[in-house]
Amino acid sequence: MTELLQFVLSGVTVGAVYALVALGFTIIYNASNVVNFAQGEFVMLGGMVTFFAWQAGLPLPLAAALAILAAAAVGVALNKLAVERARGAPVVSLIIITIGASIFLRGGAQLVFDKQLHRFPAISGDEPINIGGATILPQGLWVIAGAALVFALLYVFFTRTLTGKAILATANNRVAARLVGINTDHMMTLSFALSAAIGALAGVLMTPITLTSYDLGVAYALKGFAAAMLGGMGVPAGALAGGLLLGLIEALTAGYISSVYKDAVAFIVILAVLFAMPQGLFGRKSTDRV
Amino acid sequence: MLSVENLRSRYGRIEVLHGVDIEVRSGEIITVVGANGAGKTTLLRCISGVQPISGGGIVFRGETLQTVPAHRRVALGLSQSPEGRQIFTNLSVEENLRLGAYLFADERVETDMAEAFALFPILREKRNLAAGGLSGGQQQMLAIARALMARPACLLLDEPSMGLAPILVAQILDVVKDLKKRGLTVLLVEQNAYAALQVADRGYVMETGRITMSGPAEQLIADERIRTAYLGV
Ligand SMILES: Nc1ncnc2c1ncn2[C@@H]1O[C@H](COP(=O)(O)OP(=O)(O)OP(=O)(O)O)[C@@H](O)[C@H]1O
Ligand SMILES: [Mg+2]
């Protein structure tokens, strides 16, 4: 029982990060129909920029804020310089553009920073907390709380603010959005900035647990993409469910079978779900995405 | 108020508007009628700025529109209820209306919404439902109401009667007449030429991307060629 609880706690921690990355995929997908494979690089930037800014003498909270802003700026640049210019190109071309951007960002990080693993201190120390015999790092709780807060804030943003609704409207029907006076280019830029900031926040929160390096973006992009597909691409609730589920499957497989198989089992579960429900767990039928 | 001069537009390499001239004066209801594929929708899309133009120009209240992006044209007083309704299906009826007034954040948004509900009471009943679940006629009302929320000086209506039962067509045309009484200028595009010419002051006939006839609505209704080609009499 304790064992199970232990696996669940680590599964939820990792799952919360996957959910944040999946949410980033979802926001950009909704705004532009682009599956942004550079999403993982925002996670990398969050960790790396924070570390180097902190090492240069900035207090940690400021360093983290700087990293999130920097990632948002990179997200905006990605949209303005690459995605927006390729508007109307086939979806495959747009995906290749984002893969190219991710390679570029990884190479850039290797040059600007270095190839080492880095860590900065956790928010509330590294003394494990005991929960019913199982343990969790305080930073794990921060990760979970951070993800919960982001989802809650975004829920409010999309359901209660005019700008949030304008993003939804743009996703729902771009021409109609322009006809009511929405600057859809701005909404796309905003979506990229938001996604990048969320990815970077995930990186900031996770680094004290998993460390960071220039090349960890790919793994997060794949996991986040898998989580988004599992939950239903384009649905925020699906990103949350898909992320948590993926984290749990991995942790349980690693715990009860072997960590060697955790990716394989996760992959099989995802294939099985998508085979039965091609839209993902929470996906809308493609017919009502006009 | 709105003049379209020698307007050309193409889809890829195929030109579908070959130099269209239209003049809409303040307070008028103008209709453009024409068969399927004549280019009426393309014309309205050009005026709203969601379709590139390849020649000619559009002037609205003294301002040249070619270089003005679509979202800014709404701010200038042009709003459109597009063909096929194009409502935000995933959002509620009320959210659709609120987004119609996207450019505004004052108290008038509330009174305009109350006015829209007075115009189309069924929308008030369904205000919290997803717009995608409305019937075709209700969606059409929502599209018109949403366009009105933008406080237009000139309203562009694309096929508001499409797919509607005759009783609803009559209701929507009554609303158009009502809007004129309130001083709104309307450019109405219709395949249903008879209905459109009945409410319009003047009309234009469009055939394969060109204006072939124009004049006062009652004159067009009486014209022999139009009667055989468009009115089915
Ligand atoms: N997206 C498009 N791509 C290519 N050609 C198009 C497109 N939309 C319209 N056309 C063509 O442009 C011409 C004019 O079309 P348009 O929709 O403007 O006509 P319309 O008068 O509004 O017709 P309807 O009465 O059926 O609405 C038609 O020949 C049509 O086939
Ligand atoms: Mg049409």
Side-chain angles (χ1 to χ4, degrees):
Chain A
M1 216 29 224
T2 338
E3 210 180 33
L4 176 63
L5 183 60
Q6 184 63 59
F7 299 149
V8 168
L9 284 180
S10 50
V12 170
T13 308
V14 184
V17 173
Y18 293 166
L20 287 178
V21 182
L23 184 62
F25 271 100
T26 277
I27 291 172
I28 287 182
Y29 178 79
N30 271 343
S32 62
N33 275 323
V34 174
V35 176
N36 173 30
F37 280 105
Q39 191 63 35
E41 307 313 318
F42 300 141
V43 181
M44 178 274 289
L45 284 174
M48 291 294 269
V49 174
T50 304
F51 174 78
F52 280 91
W54 171 67
Q55 221 190 21
L58 277 192
L60 206 45
L62 228 71
L66 180 73
I68 290 170
L69 281 180
V74 169
V76 169
L78 171 62
N79 177 46
K80 286 279 169 211
L81 301 179
V83 177
E84 203 174 282
R85 274 153 208 260
R87 168 130 4 113
V91 171
V92 177
S93 313
L94 287 168
I95 289 175
I96 290 171
I97 286 174
T98 70
I99 292 175
S102 107
I103 294 171
F104 175 79
L105 288 171
R106 207 174 317 140
Q110 188 181 341
L111 283 178
V112 175
F113 305 123
D114 59 20
K115 294 204 211 174
Q116 310 300 311
L117 280 169
H118 296 292
R119 180 179 192 272
F120 44 81
I123 299 173
S124 318
D126 298 311
E127 193 66 44
I129 297 169
N130 194 312
I131 300 177
T135 59
I136 185 169
L137 289 170
Q139 189 67 22
L141 293 178
W142 279 109
V143 169
I144 296 168
L149 186 69
V150 166
F151 273 90
L153 286 178
L154 273 172
Y155 179 79
V156 171
F157 175 64
F158 281 123
T159 55
R160 298 273 181 277
T161 72
L162 192 59
T163 306
K165 286 175 188 176
I167 291 182
L168 295 181
T170 304
N172 192 188
N173 190 327
R174 180 178 294 268
V175 171
R178 295 172 70 196
L179 288 178
V180 298
I182 294 170
N183 184 340
T184 51
D185 285 346
H186 277 180
M187 294 305 141
M188 245 173 90
T189 302
L190 187 57
S191 301
F192 272 82
L194 203 58
S195 281
I198 290 170
L201 176 70
V204 170
L205 291 174
M206 205 57 187
T207 297
I209 301 178
T210 59
L211 312 193
T212 187
S213 70
Y214 78 99
D215 61 352
L216 100 182
V218 184
Y220 277 112
L222 288 177
K223 294 296 166 62
F225 173 66
M229 291 299 288
L230 182 60
M233 184 61 89
V235 190
L240 181 59
L244 291 178
L245 206 57
L246 186 61
L248 283 173
I249 294 169
E250 281 188 9
L252 293 175
T253 311
Y256 285 118
I257 306 171
S258 156
S259 66
V260 178
Y261 295 119
K262 71 174 184 159
D263 290 337
V265 171
F267 190 59
I268 289 167
V269 171
I270 290 167
L271 283 185
V273 168
L274 291 181
F275 188 72
M277 311 165 76
Q279 306 295 331
L281 296 171
F282 286 69
R284 280 165 283 192
K285 291 217 174 59
S286 56
T287 46
D288 57 34
R289 289 190 57 87
V290 184
Chain B
M1 168 168 273
L2 173 70
S3 43
V4 173
E5 285 151 23
N6 196 24
L7 187 73
R8 293 170 182 274
S9 181
R10 53 181 77 214
Y11 290 100
R13 287 168 55 203
I14 302 167
E15 189 176 84
V16 298
L17 295 183
H18 315 290
V20 170
D21 293 280
I22 280 179
E23 182 73 38
V24 181
R25 290 189 286 266
S26 185
E28 281 184 317
I29 300 182
I30 297 299
T31 185
V32 177
V33 299
N36 201 317
K40 308 180 295 295
T41 296
T42 306
L43 169 65
L44 287 200
R45 287 170 53 87
C46 288
I47 296 174
S48 277
V50 293
Q51 162 79 26
I53 68 177
S54 49
I58 306 167
V59 179
F60 179 64
R61 292 166 130 185
E63 192 149 351
T64 307
L65 289 190
Q66 286 90 294
T67 52
V68 179
H71 62 96
R72 284 221 35 244
R73 299 189 194 190
V74 182
L76 293 176
L78 262 177
S79 93
Q80 178 173 172
S81 162
E83 181 175 69
R85 292 120 200 190
Q86 310 290 338
I87 52 169
F88 303 118
T89 49
N90 296 339
L91 301 179
S92 73
V93 168
E94 190 169 334
E95 286 171 326
N96 269 269
L97 293 175
R98 181 62 191 89
L99 283 164
Y102 176 73
L103 300 173
F104 308 104
D106 51 17
E107 306 87 65
R108 214 186 120 184
V109 174
E110 280 301 312
T111 52
D112 281 354
M113 200 176 297
E115 220 167 278
F117 286 145
L119 213 52
F120 303 111
I122 187 74
L123 296 182
R124 187 200 304 275
E125 251 168 69
K126 311 233 165 186
R127 61 196 294 172
N128 294 318
L129 300 182
L134 299 181
S135 72
Q138 293 161 356
Q139 292 193 2
Q140 187 61 62
M141 294 175 198
L142 179 58
I144 296 173
R146 184 183 64 185
L148 288 172
M149 291 295 291
R151 304 175 195 173
C154 178
L155 177 66
L156 310 173
L157 289 176
D158 197 347
E159 306 258 8
S161 78
M162 191 165 62
L164 299 191
I167 177 127
L168 278 177
V169 174
Q171 189 189 340
I172 288 197
L173 292 177
D174 277 344
V175 168
V176 173
K177 278 191 266 187
D178 205 49
L179 294 173
K180 176 193 156 90
K181 279 195 208 119
R182 297 190 214 173
L184 195 64
T185 307
V186 180
L187 178 55
L188 168 66
V189 153
E190 267 293 346
Q191 262 189 60
N192 186 343
Y194 186 69
L197 287 169
Q198 277 185 321
V199 295
D201 299 306
R202 291 186 299 118
Y204 292 85
V205 178
M206 193 179 224
E207 277 169 34
T208 57
R210 287 192 176 80
I211 300 295
T212 52
M213 239 188 281
S214 67
E218 54 282 12
Q219 194 178 315
L220 291 178
I221 275 195
D223 190 288
E224 206 52 50
R225 286 161 297 175
I226 292 184
R227 292 179 76 83
T228 41
Y230 299 106
L231 305 180
V233 279

